[in-house]
Amino acid sequence: MKAMKGLPVIQADDLSFRRAGEPVFARVSFSVYAGDFVAILGANGAGKSTLLSLVLGELTPETGTVRLFNREARRFRDWGQIGFLAQDAPAEAAAFPATAEEIVRANLYARTGWGRAPRAADRAGAGAALEAVGMAEYGRRLIGHLSGGQRQRVMLARALAGEPALLLLDEPTAGVDEASVTGLFQLLTRRNRESGLTVVMVTHDAERAAACASRVLCLENGSLLELDKTQLEEELRHRHRHPAGGFL
Amino acid sequence: MTAMLQYDFMRRAFVAGLLLALIIPCVGVVVVLKRLSLMGDALSHSSLAGVAAGLIMGINPILGAGAACVAAALSIEVIRHKIPRYAEISIAIVLSAGIGLAGVLSGHVRGAANFNSFLFGSIVAISDFELGLVVGVSLAVLLVFIALYRELFFIALDERAARIAGVPVAAVNFIFTILTAVTVSVAARTVGALIVSSMMVTPVACAMQLAGSYKRTVIFSAVFAVVFTLVGLTLAYYVRLKPGATIVLTGVLCLLLIIAGKKIWAAVGSRRRKERNS
């Protein structure tokens, strides 16, 4: 599935959100266009994951609107267009008695819906997704028998199985080894450039985000700022000055 | 075996037992994987309150148990969503309320024998109506479980991802809650309210030790439960034991044997590898 390049996939206008009475961010607006690779940076607790939840229509903003593929996020139902990978998904699946293939195929639901078994082509899509993340030979293995990095790749394959137009990732590199993180960024960059997959990734990895993403947004002190090249370099320097408990 | 099946009550017991052995693990797999293993306990204890209320009001105690189970299961779901980070609290609250209510009401029940029969079950003494109920509920649970197989798998695996993939999570959870409640209330009469939770969990625990996929976990769970029921009922008949309790103890013994067997197998494998390497 491919959205037309340059059309807005996410449109957030004037978003404000409070958690337990405390403002998380206020009057935030941004757009993501088809074919973008957007990285969202920010300190812990800045509201990056909350922003994704608002985009997915899981939360209601205090003010403002979010539109997904030109539909209000809360009313959006075309789930086949979206792939999602949560931060804790690989760890949570570790104890589940299912094979990598079963886990990837679960997400075909977004394409088929209730009462329709996946067609051969859909199942082939799931196989292709496992192949794309280099896990084809592990399809019949129990997820719990795989390493953390491998589990993360299976979860990414699950998000990609329905061939979405938009992929949302919430800190997908947390708790994963360096080689797997590099592989993940390479894969996402390739999918973004070759198939036009729109990627929105919440991450702490500013260096890789700067290298791979076409746009970098930074959520800080309740506001969202799109960083240009110079600002991004400043952010990277800033981060290097505060390696322990610093901003990013 | 043939001698045992000459008796009508034993034939009924086998029909009811085997049907329940097929459906209880279907519900049990999802309950265990959603980390709500004690849900069966909470529901079965609440069912006792329904049994007592039914006996006091002069209505069929199984219907009373069913109503109490549905109310308890829905309460668990409501509390679980109010306190999502401590979902197990919901089970503890409903379990306590169920026991408390059952304790208070049981003091007003005439003929304690009937009430007590629900504690450990009386599969060899079920009536035509109760057998009909077991058949009807079993068919309904099997059909719904098959129809919602993919949805229940996805929700048990990752409720959030399931919702984002378009699974109607609230509706499926509601249907599953009712399904669990109805299964527990019917099973409480046959295997016993104090034991049904174990029937829900033990075959699944055995299957999880051996199965290499979710599909196999479901199939193995049902196969284990059927075997436990056959062995348990046969032993109960010949050794004169309580059927529900014997079925459950057969399951627990089997689980211990599987765990021990796996340990021995792993030790033998490791020794062979060492010998090969040296």
Side-chain angles (χ1 to χ4, degrees), chain B residues 113-182:
Chain B
N114 202 358
F115 180 75
N116 289 344
S117 74
F118 279 82
L119 292 176
F120 290 101
S122 50
I123 196 168
V124 290
I126 59 171
S127 65
D128 283 343
F129 170 74
E130 287 161 351
L131 185 62
L133 211 57
V134 169
V135 173
V137 165
S138 300
L139 285 176
V141 170
L142 268 182
L143 285 176
V144 175
F145 182 76
I146 291 166
L148 296 179
Y149 179 86
R150 293 166 63 216
E151 289 81 355
L152 288 171
F153 167 71
F154 207 171
I155 291 172
L157 170 69
D158 186 340
E159 195 164 303
R160 188 180 183 200
R163 190 178 295 114
I164 292 166
V167 176
V169 171
V172 173
N173 274 341
F174 178 77
I175 293 168
F176 181 72
T177 301
I178 302 291
L179 219 61
T180 312
V182 171

Side-chain angles (χ1 to χ4, degrees), chain A residues 125-206:
Chain A
L130 269 173
E131 206 170 316
V133 299
M135 291 296 292
E137 61 188 295
Y138 297 92
R140 301 253 165 117
R141 290 259 191 103
L142 278 175
I143 189 82
H145 290 178
L146 302 176
S147 69
Q150 289 173 324
R151 278 202 295 274
Q152 185 238 34
R153 277 147 73 188
V154 170
M155 289 302 160
L156 179 63
R158 184 180 79 180
L160 292 170
E163 292 178 35
L166 169 64
L167 183 63
L168 299 162
L169 306 112
D170 189 358
E171 296 189 33
T173 55
V176 178
D177 62 88
E178 274 297 302
S180 299
V181 174
T182 305
L184 173 80
F185 272 93
Q186 283 171 348
L187 175 74
L188 292 175
T189 309
R190 199 167 62 239
R191 293 293 285 236
N192 171 253
R193 287 182 188 156
E194 291 173 7
S195 4
L197 174 70
T198 310
V199 180
V200 176
M201 178 198 268
V202 165
T203 181
H204 283 277
D205 196 335

Side-chain angles (χ1 to χ4, degrees), chain A residues 53 56 58 79 82 84 86 89 93 95-99 102-103 106-110 112-114 116-118 140 142 158, chain B residues 33 35 147-151 153-154 156-158 160-168 208 211-217:
Chain A
S53 292
L56 286 164
E58 295 177 302
W79 299 110
I82 292 177
F84 174 69
F96 203 88
T99 62
E102 283 179 318
I103 285 172
N107 215 39
L108 294 177
Y109 193 92
T112 59
W114 183 79
R116 276 183 51 214
R140 301 253 165 117
L142 278 175
R158 184 180 79 180
Chain B
L33 295 178
R35 312 281 172 113
L148 296 179
Y149 179 86
R150 293 166 63 216
E151 289 81 355
F153 167 71
F154 207 171
L157 170 69
D158 186 340
R160 188 180 183 200
R163 190 178 295 114
I164 292 166
V167 176
M208 284 171 75
S213 69
Y214 175 76
K215 193 176 174 181
R216 284 186 188 165
T217 304

Side-chain angles (χ1 to χ4, degrees), chain B residues 167-215:
Chain B
V167 176
V169 171
V172 173
N173 274 341
F174 178 77
I175 293 168
F176 181 72
T177 301
I178 302 291
L179 219 61
T180 312
V182 171
T183 305
V184 168
S185 58
V186 172
R189 170 68 175 141
T190 49
V191 292
L194 298 181
I195 294 166
V196 63
S197 170
S198 181
M199 273 294 280
M200 201 173 265
V201 173
T202 316
V204 180
C206 291
M208 284 171 75
Q209 297 295 319
L210 301 174
S213 69
Y214 175 76
K215 193 176 174 181

